[in-house]
Amino acid sequence: MNKVFKALSDPTRRRVLQLLRRRPMVAGELAEHFEVSKPTMSAHFAVLRGAGLVETERNGKTIIYRLKMSVLEDALLGFTQAFGLEIQSKEASIVSGDRHRKESGS
Amino acid sequence: MNKVFKALSDPTRRRVLQLLRRRPMVAGELAEHFEVSKPTMSAHFAVLRGAGLVETERNGKTIIYRLKMSVLEDALLGFTQAFGLEIQSKEASIVSGDRHRKESGS
DNA sequence: ACAACAATTAGACGATTAGCTAAATTACGA
DNA sequence: TCGTAATTTAGCTAATCGTCTAATTGTTGT
């Protein structure tokens, strides 16, 4: 869970997650939304992947990034619960390609 | 708020906030819960204060730290809303300026 | 096989971070 | 006023971070 918070501590990475919330995206497409270089974005992606917040799938020349909503939820849940806060999904659509899968992450 | 997320990115600081959730605490008392030096803890406190997550009050020789729950909530709220998540307090008051009084037990 | 494209890795750099010890500050009590 | 206690500030170090350019890897189409 610490890796998740570390990942969330950078505004660029938070924005990446928000973009991925809409739909999975290809690395280059994602990178276009930001003003930093592609290698820099690649490093951000690596941090997000290391935290288990995104997963990748190769598709020919491109690599698709997909948000793992359940990992984000679980981390947020674990933290907020310790503060007497409750977190829940408004929409049933935590889906968008991802199936609220249980997966062991770091 | 970026400063809040930066502040939350360190596990020691997250634990400080959780300790403060129970009741306001004096700096030294708080520091006893950790294995690092007092100056190091002082630096952590400064980060939390800089993020607006805690407020201080001098009381003679000691300095009392108090959690500003509303600031934490607002940051979490702003973030989670962008993901279609809902966050709410299990306890009654989410009021701004909440003093977090101790209620029934623990 | 090769050129073009997508993305990552390598290597470097300055800025920030978390940690330490020692010194300074602030308040209290004898 | 002096000594002690609580905390912060100063100054340092090692590690990590975000960024860059250049080079590398992997894939496709010709």
Side-chain angles (χ1 to χ4, degrees), chain A residues 15-94:
Chain A
R15 236 173 96 217
V16 167
L17 293 180
Q18 291 183 0
L19 286 172
L20 288 180
R21 199 218 156 200
R22 308 302 185 200
R23 59 185 168 81
M25 270 180 161
V26 156
E29 189 187 1
L30 217 32
E32 279 172 15
H33 289 78
F34 301 86
E35 299 197 334
V36 300
S37 72
K38 282 183 186 182
T40 295
M41 288 309 295
S42 195
H44 283 308
F45 298 156
V47 172
L48 292 171
R49 212 180 319 118
L53 285 165
V54 302
E55 61 188 0
T56 57
E57 184 195 330
R58 176 137 227 158
N59 189 301
K61 269 190 280 194
T62 70
I63 291 179
I64 301 169
Y65 279 84
R66 191 181 345 261
L67 175 61
K68 292 210 290 186
M69 193 62 192
S70 63
V71 173
L72 180 59
E73 271 184 86
D74 287 350
L76 255 23
L77 202 78
F79 180 69
T80 56
Q81 274 181 347
F83 287 92
L85 298 174
E86 212 170 62
I87 194 170
Q88 49 189 286
S89 177
K90 271 187 232 175
E91 315 174 13
S93 65
I94 314 171

Side-chain angles (χ1 to χ4, degrees), chain B:
Chain B
M1 176 81 68
N2 193 37
K3 279 186 183 174
V4 172
F5 277 95
K6 279 273 197 283
L8 294 181
S9 73
D10 184 274
T12 297
R13 289 193 290 264
R14 288 198 301 275
R15 236 173 95 216
V16 167
L17 293 179
Q18 291 184 0
L19 287 171
L20 289 180
R21 200 220 153 198
R22 306 303 185 200
R23 59 185 167 81
M25 272 180 159
V26 156
E29 189 187 2
L30 218 32
E32 279 172 16
H33 288 79
F34 301 86
E35 298 196 334
V36 300
S37 72
K38 282 183 187 181
T40 294
M41 287 309 294
S42 194
H44 282 308
F45 298 155
V47 172
L48 291 171
R49 213 182 316 118
L53 286 165
V54 301
E55 61 189 358
T56 57
E57 184 194 332
R58 175 136 227 158
N59 189 305
K61 270 189 280 195
T62 70
I63 293 180
I64 301 169
Y65 279 84
R66 191 179 347 259
L67 175 60
K68 291 211 290 185
M69 193 62 191
S70 63
V71 173
L72 180 58
E73 274 181 37
D74 287 351
L76 254 25
L77 202 79
F79 179 69
T80 55
Q81 274 181 346
F83 287 91
L85 298 174
E86 208 170 67
I87 193 171
Q88 50 188 271
S89 178
K90 281 182 211 168
E91 316 181 8
S93 55
I94 318 185
V95 192
S96 214
D98 185 13
R99 284 282 191 292
H100 202 275
R101 355 183 55 238
K102 224 185 162 194
E103 44 168 294
S104 72
S106 92

